[in-house]
Amino acid sequence: MSIPHRAPILEVAHYEKRYGKKLAVRDLSLTVEAGDIYGFIGHNGAGKTTLIRSIAGVQPVDAGTIRVCGVDVAADPVAAKRQIAYVPDNPDIYDFMTGIQYLTYIADIFEVPADARTARIAELADRLDIAQDLGNQIGGYSHGMRQKLVLIGALIHAPKLLLLDEPFVGLDPLASHELKTILHELAASGGAVFFSSHVLEVVEKLCNKVAIIRKGELVTSGTTDEVRGDDSLEDVFLELTDVDKPESPAQSNLG
């Protein structure tokens, strides 16, 4: 029996990014389909955040194309961004605002109707245990509280693609568990999640697909079961990203 094809949410084709003379990411292609929770792993400086920022439209693409729900991020950035939510690893939010003011501001940007935003904020704030803090100024929030607030802001317009850079850093165990449940719900509803993480155990248990990047080049990608084979994802990652291995000529050009 044939497996039904799922619609692509994210298509990255021959993506490249330079910083000056350094080629940070080289000829990278991958596809994230509806229903995917896709883990993106690699050492520090491997190019994970570079790609995620380009998908989010935060920085330009130097070569190749990125499409979100069929929309070219470079050609129509506004339409693409309406389908995306992006949570960076160190959220920079307005300290002078209260939590609810920040969420209202984000809801206004995405033109979320008043009744929908009220219900969505109440539900997510309760699930992430931050409802009691929304009236307080963000300047007094801990890192974990800021992370929860930004996650609510990211989810408020029901994005088709959720981009997360180290999303579990700073979250307490209960909030981490609830976030995993929320990610499964988003995928089950026809959306997709693409996130980077250094916590390989989380990636292995949470993600149905995974890609490994080494020095700006995609080493492998596929279903989590295919990538890890009979080993743990940690074993495969360490083997494929061994920095002591001889580099290919292409890799040596990355500087």
Side-chain angles (χ1 to χ4, degrees):
M1 185 177 70
S2 63
I3 299 173
H5 177 71
R6 293 183 295 173
I9 296 291
L10 169 65
E11 299 168 279
V12 179
H14 306 293
Y15 167 81
E16 293 192 351
K17 182 62 186 177
R18 290 183 178 273
Y19 296 110
K21 294 183 179 179
K22 180 180 179 180
L23 184 58
V25 180
R26 179 190 192 92
D27 194 25
L28 188 150
S29 299
L30 57 79
T31 300
V32 179
E33 297 175 317
D36 281 346
I37 301 179
Y38 204 125
F40 191 43
I41 58 178
H43 288 297
N44 288 337
K48 303 186 302 297
T49 298
T50 294
L51 174 61
I52 288 174
R53 285 171 58 84
S54 287
I55 296 169
V58 176
Q59 65 182 6
V61 174
D62 290 336
T65 59
I66 298 175
R67 295 181 180 274
V68 177
C69 299
V71 179
D72 190 307
V73 170
D76 197 347
V78 174
K81 287 178 181 178
R82 288 194 175 277
Q83 306 295 329
I84 297 171
Y86 169 47
V87 179
D89 60 343
N90 189 21
D92 185 16
I93 48 181
Y94 303 109
D95 284 353
F96 64 88
M97 285 184 171
T98 65
I100 193 63
Q101 286 173 336
Y102 169 77
L103 294 176
T104 299
Y105 169 66
I106 298 298
D108 285 343
I109 290 175
F110 286 98
E111 300 177 342
V112 181
D115 55 345
R117 75 176 62 176
T118 299
R120 192 74 170 140
I121 289 171
E123 177 202 351
L124 291 168
D126 182 63
R127 293 178 68 174
L128 293 174
D129 192 27
I130 196 175
Q132 67 278 6
D133 300 301
L134 292 184
N136 299 332
Q137 280 197 319
I138 296 170
Y141 280 21
S142 67
H143 176 78
M145 292 166 65
R146 288 169 179 259
Q147 188 79 348
K148 292 177 183 181
L149 186 69
V150 174
L151 284 166
I152 295 170
L155 294 163
I156 200 169
H157 67 288
K160 296 298 290 184
L161 176 63
L162 181 60
L163 301 170
L164 305 170
D165 199 350
E166 298 292 345
F168 297 98
V169 174
L171 293 183
D172 57 76
L174 288 176
S176 293
H177 175 77
E178 194 61 42
L179 176 57
K180 292 170 190 175
T181 301
I182 291 169
L183 299 186
H184 278 297
E185 291 170 355
L186 189 151
S189 70
V193 181
F194 186 74
F195 78 96
S196 73
S197 177
H198 287 120
V199 187
L200 300 185
E201 294 88 348
V202 171
V203 174
E204 187 167 11
K205 292 178 181 178
L206 181 62
C207 300
N208 66 309
K209 292 181 182 175
V210 65
I212 300 177
I213 187 172
R214 177 180 186 266
K215 293 188 175 182
E217 290 191 340
L218 196 65
V219 179
T220 187
S221 63
T223 69
T224 305
D225 288 340
E226 289 171 345
V227 170
R228 72 185 173 194
D230 294 328
D231 299 314
S232 70
L233 185 59
E234 181 179 34
D235 289 338
V236 173
F237 174 79
L238 292 174
E239 172 68 19
L240 293 177
T241 61
D242 185 353
V243 294
D244 294 326
K245 283 185 176 181
E247 293 182 345
S248 68
Q251 289 170 330
S252 65
N253 290 335
L254 295 177

